[in-house]
């Protein structure tokens, strides 16, 4: 595996290796800079290539098995394949290279068919309500999870396998369905679609295995290579142990990713505390991962995430039923749901507490306010209103919103109205002004 990885890295140009290294560290993104026109043109090219391949298959039946599967899914009413919001994920995962995006899209359909059969195109997308009892149990164990409400310093969502996934008591189909459910949930986040997912394999216990056999490894490899979401940073966390067991874990885990993700792998070896320190050099705080101080798996936030997902799915399917569009294979994730599970990097979070104060958007707002505080202190009432408006405009220009957490919605966030945002900024100015001593007397009445 080390030889293979070295070969794959050597196949890259120096500039490519440097770009990948910077993206892993969250210094810059290799994502394509998007515009509405670029996305529209790419979706049109995507559709045209699909149609072209359909024509070729119709002219020479059996020449394109992937397109044959696409036509089968279409015939069975698998509406998701026509959704622009679904297709654009494949475009972003392949940096808007149209042939690569279409191939990834078709390979995803093939994987669904290979693992789940024709039924994959007949039933609606997997939700908590239609999971089997065993699948629900596997999901709740939390060994494979998306980290709730947290991002790295670059704004990417974080997910990973943090313990033995499933074990031999679960079928390959159950493991696939749960893993795909989690990755597709992560792919709903547009910022992560663009910048990629940060993924962890955390295997500090040499007595257990992340994956149990070659078949499972191959299935995961195909899943990661075909979902509408790329892995932009891969962190392998292992004990300082050269035993055959750990070497096998490393080999299987690395084989679970294609070459595009493998060259983004970084290894962290040692005790739990050593590994945590190493991870922090990549812009990921040690308290982000669902692990205790001793490396044990924590599931409290994961169970909260499941509750939030259930609330979201129930609300969406109520809307679908009310509008008369609910069906066995209706693409629920593409209906509107205004609540926010994970705040964006530059959002300003209302409320108390250190995590909110230290959020990137809150830190950025404080910096903007501090840069204008002297101007604010000496301003008239109308001028202060204008200064507050300037702050709001700067925050919005960076993509930031003012969000408030709603415990009645299981911890979902919602965007507050403009007046509440103005009050938040005004209070911050007044708090600073009250601590400026004699300068306060210079304020105009």
């Amino acid at each position: 595996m080390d030889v293979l990885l070295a070969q794959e890295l050597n196949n890259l140009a120096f500039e490519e290796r440097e770009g990948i290294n910077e993206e892993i560290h969250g210094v810059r993104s290799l994502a394509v800079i998007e515009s509405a026109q670029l996305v529209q043109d790419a979706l049109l090219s995507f559709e045209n290539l699909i149609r072209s391949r359909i024509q070729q298959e119709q002219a020479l039946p059996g020449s394109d098995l992937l397109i044959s599967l696409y036509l089968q899914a279409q015939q069975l009413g698998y509406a998701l394949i026509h959704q622009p919001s679904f297709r654009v994920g494949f475009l972003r995962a392949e940096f808007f290279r149209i042939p690569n995006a279409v191939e990834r899209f078709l390979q995803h359909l093939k994987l669904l068919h290979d693992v789940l059969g024709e039924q994959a195109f007949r039933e609606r997308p997997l939700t908590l309500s239609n999971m089997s009892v065993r699948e629900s149990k596997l999901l709740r164990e939390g060994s494979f999870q998306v980290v709730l409400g947290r991002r790295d310093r670059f704004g990417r969502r974080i997910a990973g396998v943090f313990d033995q996934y499933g074990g031999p008591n679960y079928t390959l189909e159950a493991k696939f369905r749960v893993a795909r459910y989690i990755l597709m949930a992560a792919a709903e986040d547009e910022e992560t679609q663009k910048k990629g997912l940060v993924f962890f394999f955390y295997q500090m216990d040499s007595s257990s295995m992340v994956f149990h056999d070659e078949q499972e490894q191959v299935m995961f490899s195909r899943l990661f290579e075909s979902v509408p979401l790329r892995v932009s940073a891969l962190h392998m966390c292992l004990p300082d142990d050269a035993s055959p067991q750990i070497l096998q874990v490393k080999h299987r885990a690395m084989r679970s990713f294609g070459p595009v993700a493998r060259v983004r792998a970084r290894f962290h070896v040692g005790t739990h505390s050593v590994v945590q320190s190493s991870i922090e050099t990549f812009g990921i705080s040690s308290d982000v991962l669902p692990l205790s101080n001793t490396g044990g798996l924590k599931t409290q936030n994961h169970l909260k995430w499941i509750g939030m997902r259930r609330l979201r799915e129930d609300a969406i399917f109520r809307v679908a039923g009310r509008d008369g569009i609910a069906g066995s294979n209706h693409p629920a994730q593409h209906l509107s749901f205004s609540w926010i599970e994970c705040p964006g990097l530059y959002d300003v979070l209302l409320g108390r507490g250190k995590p909110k104060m230290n959020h990137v958007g809150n830190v950025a707002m404080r910096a903007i306010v501090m840069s204008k505080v002297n101007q604010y202190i000496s301003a008239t009432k109308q001028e202060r209103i204008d200064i507050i408006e300037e702050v709001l405009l700067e925050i919005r220009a960076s993509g930031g919103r003012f969000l408030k957490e709603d415990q009645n919605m299981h911890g979902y966030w919602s965007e507050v109205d403009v007046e509440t945002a103005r009050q938040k900024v005004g209070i911050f100015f007044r708090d600073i002004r009250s601590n400026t001593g004699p300068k306060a007397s210079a304020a105009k009445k």
Side-chain angles (χ1 to χ4, degrees), residues 387-404:
I387 292 169
I388 289 173
E389 200 63 35
E390 289 175 10
V391 174
L392 294 179
L393 288 173
E394 285 193 46
I395 291 169
R396 292 193 196 104
S398 70
R401 303 161 293 184
F402 284 78
L403 304 182
K404 182 177 181 180

Side-chain angles (χ1 to χ4, degrees), residues 58-92:
Q58 290 172 338
L60 189 61
S63 61
D64 193 334
L65 296 179
L66 291 178
I67 280 294
S68 295
L69 270 178
Y70 172 86
L71 292 171
Q72 181 182 1
Q74 184 175 254
Q75 184 178 12
L76 293 171
Y78 193 56
L80 189 62
I81 59 176
H82 300 296
Q83 290 284 347
S85 54
F86 181 59
R87 290 182 171 189
V88 76
F90 295 95
L91 289 164
R92 287 170 174 149

Side-chain angles (χ1 to χ4, degrees), residues 212-271:
H212 295 87
D213 56 41
E214 197 76 15
Q215 186 182 21
E216 190 172 323
Q217 170 209 303
V218 170
M219 181 270 288
F220 270 88
S221 175
R222 292 178 64 191
L223 178 61
F224 279 107
E225 290 178 25
S226 68
V227 289
L229 181 68
R230 68 187 178 94
V231 174
S232 58
L234 172 61
H235 295 281
M236 299 286 299
C237 305
L238 301 167
D240 190 5
D241 181 352
S243 67
Q245 181 86 343
I246 287 298
L247 292 177
Q248 190 177 13
V249 167
K250 176 182 176 181
H251 175 82
R252 286 184 176 174
M254 289 297 286
R255 283 284 186 184
S256 298
F257 293 87
V260 174
R262 272 200 298 268
V263 296
R264 289 164 168 75
R266 293 296 181 267
F267 290 89
H268 311 274
V269 178
T271 63

Side-chain angles (χ1 to χ4, degrees), residues 1 106 116 121 141 159 163 265 272 363:
M1 178 52 65
L106 295 174
L116 305 177
F121 303 142
E141 285 178 1
D163 198 356
H272 174 68
V363 173

Side-chain angles (χ1 to χ4, degrees), residues 17 41 45 71 80 119 168 195 200 208 225 250 255 269 287 320 331 343 354 360 395 417 430:
R17 290 198 299 270
D41 291 346
S45 298
L71 292 171
L80 189 62
Q119 188 63 25
K195 296 180 178 178
F200 279 84
S208 63
E225 290 178 25
K250 176 182 176 181
R255 283 284 186 184
V269 178
D287 66 342
K354 198 170 182 180
V360 172
I395 291 169
D417 57 46
R430 289 195 292 274

Side-chain angles (χ1 to χ4, degrees), residues 202-215:
Y202 197 94
Q203 180 75 44
M204 300 301 288
D205 182 2
S206 59
S207 65
S208 63
M209 293 286 288
V210 173
F211 298 131
H212 295 87
D213 56 41
E214 197 76 15
Q215 186 182 21

